[in-house]
Amino acid sequence: MTARALWTGILLILVSTVAVTAAKPTPTAFIPGALGLLIALMGIVGDKTPALQRPAMNAALGLAVLGILGSLRGVPDFLTLLGGGSVERPVATMAQFATIFICLGFVVRWVQGFLEARRDRLG
């Protein structure tokens, strides 16, 4: 799971990098990158310090959930883009949707791993 956290972080950093280079840089364009950096750091901490693996992965999960919740406001604009409409900041809208998609993938995989581990412990 630590490798997934690291890759999730790297993907979020790439989203931020694309958002900054594709449009006029705004402070909010750096949010996916900052979130990704923190998630990647949790993956590294969990990998390098086995005693901290569980808390680090739980922190990464919490950050991913915050990333999802913080980006939800971009969903209506993304649906407008899909329908062929236009929005005020299309790059920001796509970055928000990418953040949701990446973080949701991490959360889903974390829950699957948790349930698998629970099944293994119970029998």
Side-chain angles (χ1 to χ4, degrees):
M1 188 52 79
T2 57
R4 279 189 175 74
L6 182 60
W7 281 108
T8 298
I10 290 170
L11 289 173
L12 288 170
I13 291 168
L14 287 173
V15 166
S16 189
T17 303
V18 169
V20 168
T21 58
K24 180 182 174 191
T26 62
T28 56
F30 294 101
I31 292 174
L35 181 68
L37 180 62
L38 292 173
I39 291 173
L41 286 174
M42 291 299 104
I44 293 169
V45 166
D47 188 49
K48 299 295 180 191
T49 313
L52 294 177
Q53 183 176 3
R54 181 175 285 171
M57 292 301 94
N58 288 339
L61 175 69
L63 290 166
V65 169
L66 286 175
I68 293 168
L69 294 175
S71 299
L72 281 176
R73 67 187 185 112
V75 171
D77 285 347
F78 185 75
L79 294 175
T80 300
L81 283 177
L82 283 179
S86 63
V87 295
E88 185 178 338
R89 298 178 355 180
V91 173
T93 298
M94 292 175 13
Q96 287 174 332
F97 187 76
T99 300
I100 291 172
F101 185 76
I102 293 166
C103 289
L104 189 60
F106 179 75
V107 170
V108 166
R109 186 57 193 120
W110 188 93
V111 169
Q112 287 174 340
F114 175 79
L115 293 175
E116 288 171 9
R118 185 176 170 106
R119 270 188 241 120
D120 290 346
R121 272 186 274 144
L122 294 177

